[in-house]
Amino acid sequence: MLNLCGRTFYVFGVVLTVFEVEGKSHDAGGGYDLVASFLELGMAFVGCSFWGKCVPFGSCESLVFIKQERAVEMGLNTHIENYLEYYFDSDVDARYAVLIHGKWGVGKTFFVNRLKEHWEGTFDDAQILYVSLYGVAKVSDIQDQFFAQMHPVLASKPARIFALLGKDAMRFAYRAPLSHEDKSSVTTSLQAKGVADAVSGWLSEVKGHILIFDDLERCSMSLDVVLGYINSFVEHHGCKVVILANEDEIRTLVGVEGGGDGKQRRYQLVKEKLVGKGFHLQPDVDSAVKSFLRDMKPGVEPVVSPFLEMIVQIHQASGTENLRHLRSTFEEFQRLLMLFPKDVVGAFEVCGEDSPEYLFLKVVIEELTIMLHEVKSGCLSVKDVPRFRSAMLRVAMQSGKESEPYSQRDIEEFGEELLRAAVQAVPKYKAFIHWTTPVGLLPITWGKFFAFSFVPSDELKDGFESFVVPYRGRREPWERLIHVWELDDSEYDDAMRFVDDELAHYGEHRLGVLLHIFGVKVDLALTGHPDYDVKRVVREAKAYVSELKGRRGLVLGPDADRYAGGLIGSMYKNRQFDAWESDEFQEIHRFAVECFEKQQQDLLVECAKLKVVANLHDSQWLYENLTRARSKGEYADVPVLASLEQSQFVSAFELLSLGDRLSVVGVLKARYESRLPDELKRLCAERPLIDALVASVEKARSRHGKATWLAGRVILERLEEVQSQLTSVELVDESEQVLSEAKGAEAVSDESP
């Protein structure tokens, strides 16, 4: 019997391969789905090989490659793209609409327009039609937008002018107005000729097309009316419909936030009938930035590209997900750059990272990005832009010194509105504001640019020269400290004051620079300088690094000396750290590197929280990212599963098909296989999640049918193998601890008289 089963599954594997070679979609239904499901369940019982040959799409280690899809660059919203590709397929009879919701500015329109361009002409004869509901007050406005896309010639300006001329000619001939209420023979004549039918008959043409309705919350019609109208396309015209909306605004609009009323009930009823699938769109910053760069004028991209990471970090620090604010940064910088004289722009294009021109650009882009985000968010008034930096400095200086963030004197100088904006901004942008660095442009210059989008070129050049000239031939203050032979006592003291002021405001976050600074201080303390105590220097260094780690502000810097097994070695910018051989500096170095590694791991875990659950249905993604089977996955050695919400993960697991559950368990088994004890020990924190899955499967077996009972047995066996893998390393750890305690007790007894 088992022999017969094995042959059957092998044949089904070959058939499945043919389906894939011919390019038939797994999601299209039909024979492919039946064969794939049968093969998935079959491999659980007879394994992945027969007659010494691998069953196609099987994996003995993980059972994850049931289907081989084309390689897709995984992004935050790839699962939405995959689902829409399935939904738009003409073979899928989906009598419902798909809702994509997200806050204003997260990129909903950009997302669908990009897919529209990519998929145009892909789905048989279906045309993708887009309509914005912004301000739409009647159904005919929607029809006009669709008609214009389906018949661009008839909707063109010459055609409209011709229609108006014809209408006026008819009025003159019959001396009667051609209005909707007109009952004259002119209207009857026009209808007889089919003119009205030609305009309204587009409804029959839209059948089977893909319709995208954007800005649902901005529609002037009532929500139940417009959703009812959209529903007619789904039910009566066989259209695939995608709706884009900000549901937070809709909830406010219909009164959900305040307890709800009849409007809420109607909206929920219509939505329940119409929407069969909903997705929350995440702001895809990387894709947005690439798009913004493509839209810039030639010559702008090379200037702004070195600062992309900084711009994105400031955008994220602002706390907004609105990508329109980010777009404005690129647009406004392009405008500002075009106002600079050509010789200055030429200097920007060729400047290196150590040049004063580069530092000027960095400061200007920092200031522009911060102020623009605050203005766009409504926190900062344009009239207050010239005094914004000064107000932030005043608030930062008061931090921790006064019970109030500003005094009555500050209110008289700046105004309460500006001070409130500064109080909100300082915690967000601490890592990007360097008080000891000169301003990029004068406050009055920024005021002109934000108010009028124009500044005379001579004024911009003067600002550039005022910044750059003092920096030419000079090093950064921390670099001057390590080139002590070039300085006299007063110059050295000035450089140290600059550095200490920067540290006081947590302005320096490059790990290599920090190690140089604290290396100098340790060296001064160890050589007996009365102003420095080595223990105090070590405490201050650890406290500073720990604070930056808490803010996620530690960075390696562009010239970090990487080495195997660590992040930064004995030097930075080709210069060895002072006091490198001392125990005190080694303690600081170890602590700093550990903090950076922990910070990066925390960031990785936060990212994984979103990705793992979102891709639980995609066994290939899980296999490539959570295991070492092919190449080391991004999360292969990080206990990311321990940080997941157990109930959320288990619920997502329970919603999977039986075959997908087998695949997930196969990935988990492959994750923990062939590891050294120390490697496995790092992943032991994930054991509670495995236990939760075991409990879920046992519960499901007790309340479902025979198929779930049989498949559940296989899933349980796999999970128990995973449990035993983790248990083995836990037992070894416990035995080592017991042995260590026994040796300690033995030593104590030997010492006793």
Side-chain angles (χ1 to χ4, degrees), residues 494-508:
D494 287 342
M496 184 62 81
R497 272 195 295 271
F498 269 98
V499 167
D500 285 340
D501 192 42
E502 193 82 351
L503 295 181
H505 295 95
Y506 295 97
E508 182 56 68

Side-chain angles (χ1 to χ4, degrees), residues 240-542:
K240 303 293 178 66
V241 171
V242 176
I243 304 170
L244 309 181
N246 181 345
E247 281 217 300
D248 291 341
E249 293 299 320
I250 291 177
R251 290 190 187 98
T252 302
L253 185 66
V254 301
V256 174
E257 303 285 356
D261 55 10
K263 281 187 177 180
Q264 172 192 352
R265 179 64 178 161
R266 288 198 301 274
Y267 169 69
Q268 294 295 347
L269 285 173
V270 177
K271 178 187 170 184
E272 187 276 334
K273 176 178 174 58
L274 172 61
V275 177
K277 192 74 174 177
F279 294 99
H280 178 72
L281 190 80
Q282 299 287 341
D284 191 346
V285 176
D286 290 341
S287 298
V289 168
K290 290 175 184 176
S291 173
F292 302 157
L293 291 176
R294 284 195 298 269
D295 294 340
M296 301 187 90
K297 287 186 175 182
V300 179
E301 182 182 349
V303 176
V304 75
S305 289
F307 308 100
L308 293 180
E309 184 178 355
M310 180 187 73
I311 293 171
V312 170
Q313 287 175 347
I314 294 175
H315 170 74
Q316 293 170 340
S318 73
T320 179
E321 294 183 344
N322 196 323
L323 295 177
R324 285 193 285 270
H325 297 182
L326 191 59
R327 173 185 281 277
S328 294
T329 300
F330 288 90
E331 292 172 344
E332 293 302 307
F333 176 73
Q334 176 175 267
R335 171 60 180 160
L336 182 63
L337 190 65
M338 295 298 101
L339 295 173
F340 276 94
K342 289 185 178 179
D343 59 327
V344 176
V345 175
F348 292 155
E349 292 174 350
V350 298
C351 67
E353 288 189 12
D354 294 328
S355 67
E357 291 83 1
Y358 180 91
L359 183 58
F360 173 79
L361 270 176
K362 178 176 181 290
V363 173
V364 166
I365 293 174
E366 278 178 341
E367 293 175 349
L368 173 65
T369 308
I370 289 171
M371 290 189 290
L372 195 60
H373 273 75
E374 292 302 292
V375 169
K376 290 288 183 181
S377 299
C379 300
L380 176 65
S381 172
V382 170
K383 66 180 175 59
D384 289 329
V385 164
R387 298 182 299 156
F388 185 52
R389 179 185 167 96
S390 297
M392 290 180 70
L393 176 58
R394 181 68 57 84
V395 169
M397 291 174 65
Q398 291 290 107
S399 297
K401 297 180 181 179
E402 304 287 345
S403 57
E404 296 294 330
Y406 46 82
S407 64
Q408 185 60 39
R409 183 180 174 183
D410 295 331
I411 294 175
E412 292 171 1
E413 183 178 350
F414 293 103
E416 199 161 2
E417 181 183 351
L418 175 55
L419 287 169
R420 280 198 301 268
V423 168
Q424 293 176 5
V426 167
K428 293 189 288 188
Y429 306 117
K430 266 187 178 179
F432 307 100
I433 302 170
H434 311 293
W435 307 116
T436 56
T437 303
V439 294
L441 294 174
L442 293 174
I444 191 172
T445 304
W446 280 124
K448 290 178 183 177
F449 181 74
F450 272 83
F452 310 114
S453 291
F454 177 78
V455 179
S457 295
D458 291 344
E459 185 175 336
L460 290 173
K461 186 168 185 177
D462 288 344
F464 169 73
E465 292 292 341
S466 298
F467 184 98
V468 168
V469 170
Y471 272 87
R472 286 198 175 110
R474 288 174 53 187
R475 295 185 174 93
E476 285 187 63
W478 70 267
E479 288 181 292
R480 299 173 70 197
L481 290 179
I482 61 177
H483 291 82
V484 62
W485 56 87
E486 297 180 3
L487 309 176
D488 58 30
D489 286 342
S490 63
E491 290 173 329
Y492 191 87
D493 290 342
D494 287 342
M496 184 62 81
R497 272 195 295 271
F498 269 98
V499 167
D500 285 340
D501 192 42
E502 193 82 351
L503 295 181
H505 295 95
Y506 295 97
E508 182 56 68
H509 44 270
R510 290 168 293 179
L511 191 59
V513 173
L514 292 173
L515 289 172
H516 267 306
I517 292 171
F518 291 119
V520 168
K521 293 189 174 189
V522 168
D523 197 31
L524 285 167
L526 292 176
T527 53
H529 194 286
D531 291 345
Y532 295 92
D533 175 74
V534 69
K535 291 183 179 179
R536 182 163 53 89
V537 171
V538 172
R539 283 197 307 271
E540 289 175 354
K542 286 185 173 181

Side-chain angles (χ1 to χ4, degrees), residues 166-180:
K167 189 174 182 180
D168 288 340
M170 294 295 288
R171 279 182 179 157
F172 180 80
Y174 287 92
R175 301 181 185 279
L178 296 179
S179 63
H180 179 69

Side-chain angles (χ1 to χ4, degrees), residues 705-718:
K706 296 182 179 62
T708 303
W709 178 266
L710 292 172
R713 177 174 64 83
V714 179
I715 294 173
L716 273 177
E717 289 175 355
R718 307 280 180 183

